[in-house]
Amino acid sequence: MRRLRPFPLEDLLLAQAVPGFLLAVGWTVMYEIYHEEGSYYTTLIQEILGTEGLFPYFLVMAVLMAFPLGLVIDSVRHVVGELWLGVPRPARLSEGVRPAARDADRRVRAPASPWQWLEQSTPPPEDFADRFALYRHAWATLLTPAKAAGNLALVLLALGIWFLVRIARMGDWHVFSPAFVIGTPLLGSAVVLVLLRRYTTGLGEFHRRVHESIFPPKAASPPEPSERTPPSPA
């Protein structure tokens, strides 16, 4: 059986480091610097590119900041998406089931980790090692891409709002073409919606696989046959 790791490597790289790096670079590109001498604006990335030998240090710092920023983004996505909004909806896990069973399943969510499933089943099954291998495969192929899509959607949404605020604050925003001012938010909103759709469907599919195939609910034990009283001698 594979060694249990509380922080899978694919989560750190794909679901946290990539959105954190994108946020660090996007913040640097959009951050404004006001120069008192001459009263003009530049961006932080322009200052970095204009300074000799500073760009490699910027890349190193962006990579180092990617992991802590990714942890913050992932935590915000988890709290807002899964705790406040309840993604995925438990009712979707019971499509095609009778109404009574569906109403009962609304109060039950698939276990989010093998630890939670082990707390509900004592003793663990004999094939737990095989089930855990399937769980890790579902985590890497379903849950991690879904979390990465949700984190990227959160980053693009924050950068899109910042873009609108910056355009509104600029006194000479009319120098940009209308296609850029209107098309950039529309394109960003479309990408955010696609990523959010990928996040909800991927998370729902992961919970469905875990709930139905890998860690199914513990079946009720059949009732024990009642002991029959031996016939009394005549």
Side-chain angles (χ1 to χ4, degrees):
M1 183 178 67
R2 297 183 60 179
R3 182 169 60 90
L4 303 181
R5 293 179 299 178
F7 297 102
L9 183 60
E10 57 269 13
D11 267 20
L12 293 176
L13 295 178
L14 182 61
Q16 296 176 10
V18 173
F21 182 81
L22 178 62
L23 180 60
V25 174
W27 182 86
T28 307
V29 171
M30 301 181 67
Y31 186 78
E32 299 174 348
I33 299 178
Y34 176 74
H35 298 266
E36 295 182 358
E37 298 179 0
S39 299
Y40 64 95
Y41 287 92
T42 59
T43 61
L44 185 56
I45 191 66
Q46 289 176 336
E47 295 290 332
I48 293 174
L49 294 176
T51 305
E52 184 178 358
L54 192 58
F55 186 70
Y57 295 98
F58 162 71
L59 290 180
V60 173
M61 292 300 298
V63 171
L64 294 178
M65 288 295 297
F67 291 97
L69 286 177
L71 287 174
V72 173
I73 297 168
D74 191 68
S75 300
V76 172
R77 187 264 317 159
H78 175 73
V79 171
V80 175
E82 300 179 31
L83 299 184
W84 290 359
L85 301 179
V87 178
R89 300 291 181 179
R92 293 184 178 181
L93 302 177
S94 303
E95 295 180 354
V97 186
R98 292 177 300 177
R102 186 184 299 112
D103 294 339
D105 188 62
R106 286 178 182 174
R107 298 186 298 270
V108 179
R109 186 181 292 271
S113 66
W115 310 111
Q116 181 181 358
W117 181 77
L118 282 175
E119 292 177 354
Q120 303 172 3
S121 60
T122 304
E126 297 179 356
D127 59 343
F128 175 74
D130 297 334
R131 293 190 183 186
F132 178 74
L134 292 175
Y135 177 84
R136 289 291 294 114
H137 178 73
W139 184 298
T141 58
L142 296 175
L143 183 60
T144 298
K147 292 168 62 176
N151 294 339
L152 288 174
L154 190 61
V155 171
L156 292 180
L157 182 61
L159 294 179
I161 295 175
W162 194 356
F163 172 82
L164 294 177
V165 172
R166 182 181 177 185
I167 289 295
R169 289 179 54 187
M170 293 179 63
D172 54 349
W173 60 270
H174 57 275
V175 300
F176 299 100
S177 63
F180 175 77
V181 176
I182 299 176
T184 300
L186 291 179
L187 181 60
S189 301
V191 175
V192 168
L193 291 178
V194 171
L195 290 175
L196 288 178
R197 177 65 177 175
R198 178 66 180 87
Y199 167 62
T200 56
T201 55
L203 205 61
E205 181 66 14
F206 169 76
H207 279 271
R208 188 186 67 82
R209 293 283 184 90
V210 172
H211 187 73
E212 296 179 357
S213 305
I214 303 174
F215 297 140
K218 188 177 181 180
S221 57
E224 297 180 359
S226 59
E227 298 180 358
R228 295 183 179 179
T229 306
S232 59

